Amino acid sequence: MSAPQDNASWQALLELPPILERLEDSGGIPVLELVEQLSERHDLGIEAEGVAYHDRGIRVPGYDATFVHEPTGSRGRPAFSVEVNSVGSRNTWAVFDKTHDWDVYLVQAPGIAALAWISDEEYRVEEAEQFETKQDAVAAGRFSFGIFLYGGDAWQEQLEYMRRTNAPAYLQREDGSTMHPSTQSEFFQLVDSSPTEFRTSGNAPSYLGLLELEVTID
């Protein structure tokens, strides 16, 4: 797992109702709309203008992201996806195995907030020995998948970088440093993978519940 290092420890954590169970009826849940509703309901003071999808250290800024119900189809299992309205001509989406037991959290620290989702399997395999509960693991920043929320100057920085580069994403290392590839080829060299491997399996161990991942730029 690549732990997000924007904050070593989140200071507020809200476990969301089972929103993934509502996807089949609603079709999709836009992230910024969801966060705005949560912020008003719980007086959180979150003002977000954009997002960055987080996938084990990969970061893709976008104007918004949406949780979407995925038909069982050829996969033979129920699924949900996260589709990112990425900056520029980037294509970013991820499909997750809905047979896993997922929990979604809103985490917050001064100047930053994020949605994080983590499965029982990920917690059991990677975090249970160190953290007593899944909530404890998330509060420590130990989650593989999330959507970071940005506003003001922080969002403008994300926009300006992505408009200058031909890479599909940038990389946040576990030590907090950031790697900014300049092209798609350089990005895939850094992650030691390929678009095809991402698209067919997310290039991830099965217990993470990631079925497909698209991170490309036209």
Side-chain angles (χ1 to χ4, degrees):
M1 171 194 289
S2 292
Q5 293 295 317
D6 298 73
N7 289 86
S9 180
W10 299 95
Q11 297 177 10
L13 183 148
L14 175 68
E15 183 173 357
L16 274 60
I19 63 170
L20 299 179
E21 302 307 315
R22 293 166 28 202
L23 288 178
E24 188 166 3
D25 293 330
S26 65
I29 299 176
V31 166
L32 291 185
E33 181 180 310
L34 172 64
V35 170
E36 182 179 10
Q37 293 170 355
L38 292 168
S39 183
E40 291 178 356
R41 188 178 308 149
H42 299 279
D43 194 24
L44 302 176
I46 298 173
E47 296 183 4
E49 300 172 67
V51 305
Y53 173 66
H54 166 82
D55 191 312
R56 296 162 292 161
I58 297 168
R59 295 286 178 88
V60 187
Y63 299 101
D64 202 351
T66 305
F67 289 100
V68 178
H69 168 70
E70 294 287 334
T72 299
S74 61
R75 297 184 191 91
R77 69 187 75 186
F80 70 93
S81 65
V82 175
E83 301 179 2
V84 184
N85 180 10
S86 312
V87 176
S89 58
R90 291 167 178 83
N91 311 293
T92 312
W93 46 262
V95 180
F96 297 89
D97 187 344
K98 205 174 178 183
T99 65
H100 288 225
D101 292 319
W102 298 89
D103 289 297
V104 183
Y105 301 88
L106 178 63
V107 291
Q108 194 175 6
I112 193 167
L115 285 180
W117 54 100
I118 182 172
S119 69
D120 287 354
E121 277 293 283
E122 177 180 349
Y123 168 70
R124 181 184 63 80
V125 173
E126 294 201 347
E127 309 300 343
E129 291 187 4
Q130 185 175 356
F131 298 98
E132 187 173 345
T133 68
K134 189 189 291 187
Q135 291 90 332
D136 292 338
V138 172
R142 300 300 301 179
F143 51 88
S144 289
F145 309 108
I147 295 173
F148 284 79
L149 307 164
Y150 292 97
D153 291 344
W155 172 236
Q156 290 305 312
E157 289 176 7
Q158 299 278 328
L159 274 178
E160 289 170 10
Y161 166 69
M162 296 311 281
R163 286 169 175 166
R164 291 195 309 265
T165 182
N166 289 318
Y170 65 91
L171 299 168
Q172 188 88 28
R173 289 171 161 173
E174 289 207 35
D175 63 4
S177 62
T178 304
M179 300 179 67
H180 292 100
S182 58
T183 65
Q184 180 161 281
S185 296
E186 185 181 350
F187 168 78
F188 280 105
Q189 287 175 356
L190 289 171
V191 298
D192 192 25
S193 189
S194 70
T196 300
E197 288 173 329
F198 269 33
R199 199 172 297 119
T200 55
S201 68
N203 198 31
S206 60
Y207 65 81
L208 287 181
L210 180 63
L211 301 176
E212 303 173 27
L213 176 61
E214 177 81 5
V215 183
T216 56
I217 184 169
D218 295 333

PDB file of all heavy atoms in Angstrom, residues 72-98:
ATOM      1  N   THR A  72     -23.282  -6.266 -13.541  1.00  0.00           N
ATOM      2  CA  THR A  72     -22.452  -7.470 -13.358  1.00  0.00           C
ATOM      3  C   THR A  72     -21.769  -7.848 -14.668  1.00  0.00           C
ATOM      4  O   THR A  72     -20.557  -8.022 -14.736  1.00  0.00           O
ATOM      5  CB  THR A  72     -23.303  -8.630 -12.842  1.00  0.00           C
ATOM      6  OG1 THR A  72     -23.857  -8.261 -11.574  1.00  0.00           O
ATOM      7  CG2 THR A  72     -22.460  -9.890 -12.688  1.00  0.00           C
ATOM      8  N   GLY A  73     -22.520  -7.979 -15.724  1.00  0.00           N
ATOM      9  CA  GLY A  73     -21.963  -8.193 -17.063  1.00  0.00           C
ATOM     10  C   GLY A  73     -20.970  -9.342 -17.142  1.00  0.00           C
ATOM     11  O   GLY A  73     -21.103 -10.358 -16.462  1.00  0.00           O
ATOM     12  N   SER A  74     -19.950  -9.162 -17.964  1.00  0.00           N
ATOM     13  CA  SER A  74     -18.989 -10.237 -18.234  1.00  0.00           C
ATOM     14  C   SER A  74     -18.078 -10.524 -17.051  1.00  0.00           C
ATOM     15  O   SER A  74     -17.423 -11.563 -17.007  1.00  0.00           O
ATOM     16  CB  SER A  74     -18.135  -9.873 -19.454  1.00  0.00           C
ATOM     17  OG  SER A  74     -17.405  -8.680 -19.217  1.00  0.00           O
ATOM     18  N   ARG A  75     -18.018  -9.594 -16.086  1.00  0.00           N
ATOM     19  CA  ARG A  75     -17.149  -9.830 -14.919  1.00  0.00           C
ATOM     20  C   ARG A  75     -17.686 -10.938 -14.021  1.00  0.00           C
ATOM     21  O   ARG A  75     -16.957 -11.523 -13.241  1.00  0.00           O
ATOM     22  CB  ARG A  75     -17.001  -8.546 -14.091  1.00  0.00           C
ATOM     23  CG  ARG A  75     -16.339  -7.400 -14.804  1.00  0.00           C
ATOM     24  CD  ARG A  75     -16.154  -6.232 -13.858  1.00  0.00           C
ATOM     25  NE  ARG A  75     -15.762  -5.031 -14.591  1.00  0.00           N
ATOM     26  CZ  ARG A  75     -16.606  -4.152 -15.077  1.00  0.00           C
ATOM     27  NH1 ARG A  75     -17.909  -4.323 -14.883  1.00  0.00           N
ATOM     28  NH2 ARG A  75     -16.192  -3.110 -15.741  1.00  0.00           N
ATOM     29  N   GLY A  76     -19.000 -11.177 -14.097  1.00  0.00           N
ATOM     30  CA  GLY A  76     -19.609 -12.209 -13.277  1.00  0.00           C
ATOM     31  C   GLY A  76     -19.720 -11.843 -11.818  1.00  0.00           C
ATOM     32  O   GLY A  76     -19.943 -12.696 -10.964  1.00  0.00           O
ATOM     33  N   ARG A  77     -19.576 -10.569 -11.504  1.00  0.00           N
ATOM     34  CA  ARG A  77     -19.671 -10.121 -10.124  1.00  0.00           C
ATOM     35  C   ARG A  77     -20.134  -8.664 -10.109  1.00  0.00           C
ATOM     36  O   ARG A  77     -19.849  -7.910 -11.039  1.00  0.00           O
ATOM     37  CB  ARG A  77     -18.330 -10.257  -9.404  1.00  0.00           C
ATOM     38  CG  ARG A  77     -17.267  -9.295  -9.881  1.00  0.00           C
ATOM     39  CD  ARG A  77     -15.907  -9.585  -9.267  1.00  0.00           C
ATOM     40  NE  ARG A  77     -15.298 -10.756  -9.883  1.00  0.00           N
ATOM     41  CZ  ARG A  77     -14.174 -11.301  -9.456  1.00  0.00           C
ATOM     42  NH1 ARG A  77     -13.546 -10.807  -8.405  1.00  0.00           N
ATOM     43  NH2 ARG A  77     -13.661 -12.346 -10.072  1.00  0.00           N
ATOM     44  N   PRO A  78     -20.844  -8.259  -9.057  1.00  0.00           N
ATOM     45  CA  PRO A  78     -21.247  -6.850  -8.960  1.00  0.00           C
ATOM     46  C   PRO A  78     -20.028  -5.973  -8.739  1.00  0.00           C
ATOM     47  O   PRO A  78     -19.027  -6.398  -8.157  1.00  0.00           O
ATOM     48  CB  PRO A  78     -22.193  -6.828  -7.753  1.00  0.00           C
ATOM     49  CG  PRO A  78     -21.781  -8.015  -6.929  1.00  0.00           C
ATOM     50  CD  PRO A  78     -21.321  -9.058  -7.918  1.00  0.00           C
ATOM     51  N   ALA A  79     -20.110  -4.739  -9.216  1.00  0.00           N
ATOM     52  CA  ALA A  79     -18.962  -3.843  -9.119  1.00  0.00           C
ATOM     53  C   ALA A  79     -19.450  -2.405  -9.038  1.00  0.00           C
ATOM     54  O   ALA A  79     -20.606  -2.093  -9.328  1.00  0.00           O
ATOM     55  CB  ALA A  79     -18.039  -4.024 -10.327  1.00  0.00           C
ATOM     56  N   PHE A  80     -18.542  -1.528  -8.623  1.00  0.00           N
ATOM     57  CA  PHE A  80     -18.785  -0.101  -8.711  1.00  0.00           C
ATOM     58  C   PHE A  80     -17.525   0.545  -9.261  1.00  0.00           C
ATOM     59  O   PHE A  80     -16.428  -0.026  -9.194  1.00  0.00           O
ATOM     60  CB  PHE A  80     -19.167   0.508  -7.354  1.00  0.00           C
ATOM     61  CG  PHE A  80     -18.052   0.562  -6.347  1.00  0.00           C
ATOM     62  CD1 PHE A  80     -17.240   1.697  -6.215  1.00  0.00           C
ATOM     63  CD2 PHE A  80     -17.806  -0.509  -5.499  1.00  0.00           C
ATOM     64  CE1 PHE A  80     -16.218   1.753  -5.277  1.00  0.00           C
ATOM     65  CE2 PHE A  80     -16.782  -0.470  -4.556  1.00  0.00           C
ATOM     66  CZ  PHE A  80     -15.992   0.670  -4.444  1.00  0.00           C
ATOM     67  N   SER A  81     -17.684   1.718  -9.848  1.00  0.00           N
ATOM     68  CA  SER A  81     -16.526   2.401 -10.403  1.00  0.00           C
ATOM     69  C   SER A  81     -16.434   3.810  -9.841  1.00  0.00           C
ATOM     70  O   SER A  81     -17.398   4.357  -9.305  1.00  0.00           O
ATOM     71  CB  SER A  81     -16.596   2.451 -11.932  1.00  0.00           C
ATOM     72  OG  SER A  81     -17.699   3.236 -12.358  1.00  0.00           O
ATOM     73  N   VAL A  82     -15.247   4.370  -9.972  1.00  0.00           N
ATOM     74  CA  VAL A  82     -15.009   5.781  -9.690  1.00  0.00           C
ATOM     75  C   VAL A  82     -14.524   6.387 -10.995  1.00  0.00           C
ATOM     76  O   VAL A  82     -13.483   5.975 -11.533  1.00  0.00           O
ATOM     77  CB  VAL A  82     -13.970   5.972  -8.573  1.00  0.00           C
ATOM     78  CG1 VAL A  82     -13.664   7.459  -8.389  1.00  0.00           C
ATOM     79  CG2 VAL A  82     -14.470   5.371  -7.269  1.00  0.00           C
ATOM     80  N   GLU A  83     -15.280   7.320 -11.525  1.00  0.00           N
ATOM     81  CA  GLU A  83     -14.950   7.960 -12.786  1.00  0.00           C
ATOM     82  C   GLU A  83     -14.539   9.401 -12.514  1.00  0.00           C
ATOM     83  O   GLU A  83     -15.270  10.147 -11.869  1.00  0.00           O
ATOM     84  CB  GLU A  83     -16.144   7.895 -13.738  1.00  0.00           C
ATOM     85  CG  GLU A  83     -16.573   6.457 -14.035  1.00  0.00           C
ATOM     86  CD  GLU A  83     -17.763   6.364 -14.956  1.00  0.00           C
ATOM     87  OE1 GLU A  83     -18.244   7.426 -15.415  1.00  0.00           O
ATOM     88  OE2 GLU A  83     -18.215   5.233 -15.213  1.00  0.00           O
ATOM     89  N   VAL A  84     -13.375   9.783 -13.001  1.00  0.00           N
ATOM     90  CA  VAL A  84     -12.801  11.094 -12.713  1.00  0.00           C
ATOM     91  C   VAL A  84     -12.960  12.009 -13.931  1.00  0.00           C
ATOM     92  O   VAL A  84     -12.592  11.632 -15.044  1.00  0.00           O
ATOM     93  CB  VAL A  84     -11.306  10.982 -12.342  1.00  0.00           C
ATOM     94  CG1 VAL A  84     -10.742  12.347 -11.939  1.00  0.00           C
ATOM     95  CG2 VAL A  84     -11.116   9.970 -11.211  1.00  0.00           C
ATOM     96  N   ASN A  85     -13.521  13.176 -13.691  1.00  0.00           N
ATOM     97  CA  ASN A  85     -13.559  14.208 -14.735  1.00  0.00           C
ATOM     98  C   ASN A  85     -12.199  14.890 -14.733  1.00  0.00           C
ATOM     99  O   ASN A  85     -12.017  15.972 -14.175  1.00  0.00           O
ATOM    100  CB  ASN A  85     -14.698  15.197 -14.457  1.00  0.00           C
ATOM    101  CG  ASN A  85     -14.797  16.289 -15.504  1.00  0.00           C
ATOM    102  OD1 ASN A  85     -14.148  16.220 -16.545  1.00  0.00           O
ATOM    103  ND2 ASN A  85     -15.585  17.312 -15.234  1.00  0.00           N
ATOM    104  N   SER A  86     -11.234  14.237 -15.357  1.00  0.00           N
ATOM    105  CA  SER A  86      -9.830  14.618 -15.241  1.00  0.00           C
ATOM    106  C   SER A  86      -9.536  15.925 -15.971  1.00  0.00           C
ATOM    107  O   SER A  86     -10.246  16.325 -16.896  1.00  0.00           O
ATOM    108  CB  SER A  86      -8.939  13.515 -15.808  1.00  0.00           C
ATOM    109  OG  SER A  86      -9.305  12.245 -15.310  1.00  0.00           O
ATOM    110  N   VAL A  87      -8.447  16.564 -15.567  1.00  0.00           N
ATOM    111  CA  VAL A  87      -8.000  17.798 -16.208  1.00  0.00           C
ATOM    112  C   VAL A  87      -7.411  17.466 -17.574  1.00  0.00           C
ATOM    113  O   VAL A  87      -6.579  16.564 -17.702  1.00  0.00           O
ATOM    114  CB  VAL A  87      -6.945  18.511 -15.334  1.00  0.00           C
ATOM    115  CG1 VAL A  87      -6.406  19.749 -16.051  1.00  0.00           C
ATOM    116  CG2 VAL A  87      -7.546  18.887 -13.992  1.00  0.00           C
ATOM    117  N   GLY A  88      -7.845  18.194 -18.595  1.00  0.00           N
ATOM    118  CA  GLY A  88      -7.303  17.986 -19.928  1.00  0.00           C
ATOM    119  C   GLY A  88      -7.824  16.716 -20.573  1.00  0.00           C
ATOM    120  O   GLY A  88      -8.941  16.273 -20.306  1.00  0.00           O
ATOM    121  N   SER A  89      -6.987  16.118 -21.424  1.00  0.00           N
ATOM    122  CA  SER A  89      -7.409  14.948 -22.208  1.00  0.00           C
ATOM    123  C   SER A  89      -7.055  13.634 -21.522  1.00  0.00           C
ATOM    124  O   SER A  89      -6.735  12.644 -22.181  1.00  0.00           O
ATOM    125  CB  SER A  89      -6.761  15.012 -23.595  1.00  0.00           C
ATOM    126  OG  SER A  89      -5.348  15.063 -23.485  1.00  0.00           O
ATOM    127  N   ARG A  90      -7.128  13.617 -20.212  1.00  0.00           N
ATOM    128  CA  ARG A  90      -6.797  12.417 -19.447  1.00  0.00           C
ATOM    129  C   ARG A  90      -8.030  11.524 -19.290  1.00  0.00           C
ATOM    130  O   ARG A  90      -9.147  12.006 -19.182  1.00  0.00           O
ATOM    131  CB  ARG A  90      -6.231  12.797 -18.078  1.00  0.00           C
ATOM    132  CG  ARG A  90      -4.879  13.442 -18.197  1.00  0.00           C
ATOM    133  CD  ARG A  90      -4.391  14.109 -16.931  1.00  0.00           C
ATOM    134  NE  ARG A  90      -3.061  14.655 -17.160  1.00  0.00           N
ATOM    135  CZ  ARG A  90      -2.840  15.843 -17.733  1.00  0.00           C
ATOM    136  NH1 ARG A  90      -3.857  16.615 -18.072  1.00  0.00           N
ATOM    137  NH2 ARG A  90      -1.609  16.251 -17.937  1.00  0.00           N
ATOM    138  N   ASN A  91      -7.773  10.218 -19.261  1.00  0.00           N
ATOM    139  CA  ASN A  91      -8.835   9.232 -19.080  1.00  0.00           C
ATOM    140  C   ASN A  91      -8.556   8.501 -17.774  1.00  0.00           C
ATOM    141  O   ASN A  91      -7.536   7.816 -17.655  1.00  0.00           O
ATOM    142  CB  ASN A  91      -8.837   8.233 -20.240  1.00  0.00           C
ATOM    143  CG  ASN A  91      -8.785   8.922 -21.591  1.00  0.00           C
ATOM    144  OD1 ASN A  91      -9.719   9.592 -21.987  1.00  0.00           O
ATOM    145  ND2 ASN A  91      -7.661   8.770 -22.295  1.00  0.00           N
ATOM    146  N   THR A  92      -9.447   8.666 -16.800  1.00  0.00           N
ATOM    147  CA  THR A  92      -9.187   8.094 -15.478  1.00  0.00           C
ATOM    148  C   THR A  92     -10.448   7.491 -14.903  1.00  0.00           C
ATOM    149  O   THR A  92     -11.444   8.188 -14.704  1.00  0.00           O
ATOM    150  CB  THR A  92      -8.677   9.168 -14.500  1.00  0.00           C
ATOM    151  OG1 THR A  92      -7.635   9.921 -15.120  1.00  0.00           O
ATOM    152  CG2 THR A  92      -8.154   8.523 -13.222  1.00  0.00           C
ATOM    153  N   TRP A  93     -10.411   6.180 -14.671  1.00  0.00           N
ATOM    154  CA  TRP A  93     -11.495   5.524 -13.965  1.00  0.00           C
ATOM    155  C   TRP A  93     -10.964   4.228 -13.364  1.00  0.00           C
ATOM    156  O   TRP A  93      -9.950   3.690 -13.794  1.00  0.00           O
ATOM    157  CB  TRP A  93     -12.698   5.250 -14.863  1.00  0.00           C
ATOM    158  CG  TRP A  93     -12.408   4.665 -16.215  1.00  0.00           C
ATOM    159  CD1 TRP A  93     -12.309   5.331 -17.401  1.00  0.00           C
ATOM    160  CD2 TRP A  93     -12.172   3.280 -16.544  1.00  0.00           C
ATOM    161  NE1 TRP A  93     -12.029   4.469 -18.430  1.00  0.00           N
ATOM    162  CE2 TRP A  93     -11.955   3.209 -17.943  1.00  0.00           C
ATOM    163  CE3 TRP A  93     -12.141   2.108 -15.806  1.00  0.00           C
ATOM    164  CZ2 TRP A  93     -11.697   2.014 -18.602  1.00  0.00           C
ATOM    165  CZ3 TRP A  93     -11.884   0.904 -16.456  1.00  0.00           C
ATOM    166  CH2 TRP A  93     -11.668   0.871 -17.837  1.00  0.00           C
ATOM    167  N   ALA A  94     -11.658   3.760 -12.337  1.00  0.00           N
ATOM    168  CA  ALA A  94     -11.275   2.520 -11.662  1.00  0.00           C
ATOM    169  C   ALA A  94     -12.535   1.733 -11.338  1.00  0.00           C
ATOM    170  O   ALA A  94     -13.568   2.312 -11.000  1.00  0.00           O
ATOM    171  CB  ALA A  94     -10.494   2.815 -10.384  1.00  0.00           C
ATOM    172  N   VAL A  95     -12.453   0.418 -11.460  1.00  0.00           N
ATOM    173  CA  VAL A  95     -13.581  -0.461 -11.176  1.00  0.00           C
ATOM    174  C   VAL A  95     -13.218  -1.352  -9.992  1.00  0.00           C
ATOM    175  O   VAL A  95     -12.128  -1.939  -9.954  1.00  0.00           O
ATOM    176  CB  VAL A  95     -13.946  -1.328 -12.397  1.00  0.00           C
ATOM    177  CG1 VAL A  95     -15.129  -2.238 -12.071  1.00  0.00           C
ATOM    178  CG2 VAL A  95     -14.266  -0.447 -13.602  1.00  0.00           C
ATOM    179  N   PHE A  96     -14.152  -1.459  -9.022  1.00  0.00           N
ATOM    180  CA  PHE A  96     -13.902  -2.190  -7.788  1.00  0.00           C
ATOM    181  C   PHE A  96     -14.910  -3.321  -7.607  1.00  0.00           C
ATOM    182  O   PHE A  96     -16.076  -3.194  -7.987  1.00  0.00           O
ATOM    183  CB  PHE A  96     -13.981  -1.239  -6.589  1.00  0.00           C
ATOM    184  CG  PHE A  96     -12.950  -0.156  -6.604  1.00  0.00           C
ATOM    185  CD1 PHE A  96     -13.201   1.052  -7.236  1.00  0.00           C
ATOM    186  CD2 PHE A  96     -11.720  -0.344  -5.994  1.00  0.00           C
ATOM    187  CE1 PHE A  96     -12.244   2.053  -7.258  1.00  0.00           C
ATOM    188  CE2 PHE A  96     -10.758   0.651  -6.016  1.00  0.00           C
ATOM    189  CZ  PHE A  96     -11.020   1.849  -6.647  1.00  0.00           C
ATOM    190  N   ASP A  97     -14.445  -4.390  -6.992  1.00  0.00           N
ATOM    191  CA  ASP A  97     -15.257  -5.579  -6.730  1.00  0.00           C
ATOM    192  C   ASP A  97     -16.227  -5.302  -5.573  1.00  0.00           C
ATOM    193  O   ASP A  97     -15.802  -5.116  -4.432  1.00  0.00           O
ATOM    194  CB  ASP A  97     -14.329  -6.745  -6.371  1.00  0.00           C
ATOM    195  CG  ASP A  97     -15.053  -8.070  -6.246  1.00  0.00           C
ATOM    196  OD1 ASP A  97     -16.294  -8.071  -6.132  1.00  0.00           O
ATOM    197  OD2 ASP A  97     -14.367  -9.106  -6.240  1.00  0.00           O
ATOM    198  N   LYS A  98     -17.506  -5.295  -5.865  1.00  0.00           N
ATOM    199  CA  LYS A  98     -18.496  -4.960  -4.847  1.00  0.00           C
ATOM    200  C   LYS A  98     -18.810  -6.135  -3.921  1.00  0.00           C
ATOM    201  O   LYS A  98     -19.525  -5.979  -2.947  1.00  0.00           O
ATOM    202  CB  LYS A  98     -19.786  -4.459  -5.506  1.00  0.00           C
ATOM    203  CG  LYS A  98     -20.616  -3.547  -4.622  1.00  0.00           C
ATOM    204  CD  LYS A  98     -21.795  -2.972  -5.380  1.00  0.00           C
ATOM    205  CE  LYS A  98     -22.652  -2.104  -4.478  1.00  0.00           C
ATOM    206  NZ  LYS A  98     -23.838  -1.590  -5.202  1.00  0.00           N
TER     207      LYS A  98
END
